[in-house]
Amino acid sequence: MGEALDDTPLTGLGLTRQQVADTGPFGILRQAFKQLKRSPLPWVLLLVDFPCTLLGVGLPILQSWFLVPRIPSPDVPPTQGSQSQIILVASALGLGNFCLSLLVVGATFFAVGRLYRGKKVTLEEALRAMLGLWPKLFVTGLYYVVFILASTFVILVLVMIVNSIASASTFAIFFILICVVFIILIFALQSLVMLANGVTCYEETYGWAAYKQAKELLQRKWRSALVFALILYVPPTIMSTLVSYSWKITPSSCLWRELVKIVLYAVFVSCLNQLVLVSFALFYFSCSEKSDEQNVSDRMEGGYHSVRTEQV
């Protein structure tokens, strides 16, 4: 039987390591709401998360401005140049949004890690760490992109095969099942990549090795991880979809009202995003605090501190 974790309240949450390890998904969510009020997380939300989200919300508008005029009409055969422009613009916008999201992840995870350690952290430190962590987060994030593309390709191939050999009713049932499986897969990959981001930020591991470590962390508390993913992804996804749909079906009145709606929607999405990031950072610590190995709180000094002081 392994030794119990030290009961001394070493964490900045006001909890012992053992209490952090035993904290369930609802307890982590309550802690996340508390941490969101602590500096510098409100400033990270305002100065990093919100601008990046605002740009992400504006991407569909940019796409309509740049892509729609270049899409040939059905009566005009598409040229190789127009198709290349569409692909390049869409790829550039997607890559830009992906890179900006990693800045938010780096700043938020660094700030939560310092707060968990019980140390003060300034906005300047969070911004410097954000830039220092970005290259490793980019490598780790590329694996997630590959996972999504590979999964999408496999599902599309399956759909085409079943569509060619099955009846309409059978295909409809199969399509619904595939959609459900794909959504579950996305939620599982989201949870995995969030813990992989935690490994990247708090340990000297990134890329594929970070995913292997994240998988071990999920296996320790897979039941909590399932409930945690349902809490953090399903309600926000439904809310975000409803808000976006109501926005689209509402008749446009004037430009200023449309701009206000874009800003309000960006505020809504950025707040949800910040809650998810802080929650998963805390969930990482809950999974990592083990009595039979060196604690993450001890390893952290060699993780993000070295990034902040030496690589930035």
Side-chain angles (χ1 to χ4, degrees):
M1 182 181 297
E3 293 183 12
L5 295 178
D6 188 1
D7 287 334
T8 306
L10 298 177
T11 72
L13 306 181
L15 303 174
T16 65
R17 291 182 175 184
Q18 185 65 58
Q19 289 174 327
V20 172
D22 295 337
T23 302
F26 292 99
I28 292 175
L29 194 60
R30 286 193 296 269
Q31 283 291 335
F33 279 108
K34 293 180 181 179
Q35 302 309 309
L36 283 171
K37 303 175 184 178
R38 300 177 64 183
S39 180
L41 287 175
W43 291 109
V44 171
L45 172 63
L46 180 63
L47 300 179
V48 182
D49 199 346
F50 173 71
C52 293
T53 304
L54 184 61
L55 182 59
V57 171
L59 284 178
I61 299 176
L62 293 176
Q63 290 176 348
S64 64
W65 287 350
F66 286 99
L67 298 184
V68 173
R70 289 170 169 79
I71 297 177
S73 67
D75 300 331
V76 180
T79 63
Q80 185 175 359
S82 63
Q83 291 179 334
S84 300
Q85 288 179 345
I86 293 172
I87 295 174
L88 286 176
V89 172
S91 301
L93 292 174
L95 179 62
N97 191 30
F98 170 69
C99 293
L100 289 175
S101 67
L102 297 180
L103 295 176
V104 181
V105 171
T108 303
F109 271 65
F110 173 81
V112 173
R114 291 281 285 183
L115 294 174
Y116 179 82
R117 188 79 164 118
K119 296 185 177 182
K120 293 183 179 180
V121 56
T122 64
L123 177 63
E124 181 182 0
E125 289 175 330
L127 295 179
R128 289 181 179 179
M130 172 185 73
L131 299 177
L133 291 168
W134 189 89
K136 292 183 178 180
L137 287 171
F138 181 79
V139 174
T140 301
L142 284 180
Y143 283 92
Y144 173 71
V145 175
V146 172
F147 292 156
I148 295 297
L149 293 178
S151 301
T152 304
F153 175 77
V154 170
I155 289 176
L156 288 176
V157 171
L158 289 175
V159 169
M160 289 188 293
I161 293 175
V162 174
N163 187 36
S164 62
I165 62 177
S167 62
S169 59
T170 303
F171 175 76
I173 297 174
F174 176 80
F175 184 77
I176 294 174
L177 292 176
I178 284 292
C179 290
V180 172
V181 171
F182 185 72
I183 292 174
I184 295 174
L185 179 63
I186 292 296
F187 287 160
L189 289 178
Q190 283 281 1
S191 301
L192 184 64
V193 74
M194 282 295 179
L195 285 182
N197 286 334
V199 174
T200 302
C201 292
Y202 303 134
E203 305 178 29
E204 298 178 353
T205 304
Y206 63 97
W208 180 248
Y211 284 94
K212 292 194 292 185
Q213 175 67 10
K215 180 184 175 182
E216 294 180 4
L217 294 176
L218 280 177
Q219 289 175 342
R220 294 176 182 177
K221 302 183 71 172
W222 67 269
R223 293 184 181 87
S224 296
L226 177 60
V227 177
F228 200 58
L230 291 175
I231 296 172
L232 285 179
Y233 287 132
V234 175
T237 300
I238 294 175
M239 292 171 61
S240 180
T241 302
L242 291 177
V243 171
S244 178
Y245 179 74
S246 63
W247 178 22
K248 292 179 181 180
I249 64 175
T250 302
S252 301
S253 52
C254 66
L255 177 61
W256 290 110
R257 290 187 179 180
E258 290 298 310
L259 293 177
V260 169
K261 286 164 60 177
I262 292 174
V263 172
L264 291 177
Y265 184 65
V267 171
F268 171 74
V269 174
S270 60
C271 290
L272 286 179
N273 183 54
Q274 192 78 345
L275 176 62
V276 170
L277 291 177
V278 173
S279 299
F280 265 103
L282 296 177
F283 184 63
Y284 167 85
F285 293 123
S286 179
C287 295
S288 298
E289 292 291 7
K290 300 291 288 183
S291 59
D292 57 348
E293 62 183 33
Q294 186 185 26
N295 277 315
V296 65
S297 300
D298 303 324
R299 295 195 304 266
M300 211 180 298
E301 292 293 344
Y304 66 70
H305 278 264
S306 62
V307 171
R308 179 171 60 85
T309 57
E310 298 173 9
Q311 297 182 11
V312 178

